Amino acid sequence: MKKLSVLFAAVMMIVSVGMAKAQKIATLDVIGVLNAMPEKKKADADLKTFLDTKQAEIKKKADAAQTKFQQYQAEAPKKTADENAAREQEMKKLGEEIQQMQDKAQKDLQAKQDVAFGPIEKKLNDAVDKVAKANGYEYVMDANSPAFLYKAGADATAAVKKELGIQ
């Protein structure tokens, strides 16, 4: 019995020493850092310009289709059934073309986002790695994550911004 209590005491000492060596955890305002990066601002502006251009092209085609549809509706009573059926097929084809333009624009935007944000993400991750190693952080967590129940660790946001050379 005495050996068991000594063993229990030894285990408790090991566990308490392990807990005393607390893991260094820091939080990082990832969104705040990203929004302060000039590269991200430029990428956002470029993507907005691209999206605005694509939306203008789609709107122009849709407006032309709408005008043609209204014209066909007004002329329908004066046309034969075959002519109206042909016009209906033409309008259906125009609708499909507009949908294809929208789908292609969405895919192109996604591809541009991947290309634009890849280097930015790498730069941020490299800075986080450097700051974490320099400060001995074992974990750096996103401060914006809803998974946090309690935040009291060090905040690495300022150090990462300093590493990136931004304010």
Side-chain angles (χ1 to χ4, degrees):
M1 190 69 171
K2 193 173 192 180
K3 289 181 182 180
L4 187 61
S5 62
V6 171
L7 179 63
F8 180 73
V11 168
M12 289 306 292
M13 282 179 33
I14 291 171
V15 168
S16 59
V17 167
M19 290 184 147
K21 182 192 167 221
Q23 297 172 341
K24 285 189 80 179
I25 298 174
T27 59
L28 172 66
D29 180 8
V30 175
I31 294 171
V33 172
L34 283 172
N35 287 336
M37 292 176 73
E39 300 95 329
K40 168 102 172 24
K41 291 176 184 176
K42 183 181 181 328
D44 286 343
D46 292 347
L47 290 170
K48 182 178 181 337
T49 301
F50 173 79
L51 184 59
D52 290 346
T53 301
K54 290 295 181 183
Q55 286 177 335
E57 290 172 9
I58 293 168
K59 184 177 181 339
K60 182 178 176 182
K61 182 124 183 161
D63 289 347
Q66 182 65 28
T67 301
K68 188 176 268 193
F69 177 72
Q70 289 172 346
Q71 175 191 351
Y72 285 178
Q73 270 190 325
E75 295 174 352
K78 300 173 190 167
K79 299 293 180 180
T80 66
D82 290 341
E83 287 175 317
N84 285 333
R87 287 178 167 196
E88 186 178 321
Q89 286 300 321
E90 181 183 352
M91 293 308 301
K92 185 176 178 182
K93 185 179 177 199
L94 273 173
E96 290 170 358
E97 288 175 9
I98 292 168
Q99 183 62 45
Q100 288 172 350
M101 285 178 70
Q102 290 172 332
D103 293 345
K104 184 176 180 333
Q106 187 63 38
K107 288 177 186 173
D108 290 349
L109 177 64
Q110 184 62 47
K112 280 194 167 294
Q113 283 176 331
D114 293 345
V115 168
F117 292 140
I120 296 168
E121 186 178 326
K122 182 180 180 342
K123 184 176 180 179
L124 175 63
N125 287 336
D126 290 347
V128 170
D129 286 346
K130 191 171 181 180
V131 167
K133 288 176 183 171
N135 293 297
Y137 298 137
E138 294 179 23
Y139 299 98
V140 178
M141 301 176 150
D142 186 357
N144 301 309
S145 172
F148 277 122
L149 298 176
Y150 176 74
K151 290 190 264 188
D155 186 357
T157 303
V160 171
K161 282 184 172 182
K162 182 179 177 185
E163 180 62 36
L164 289 169
I166 56 177
Q167 296 302 334

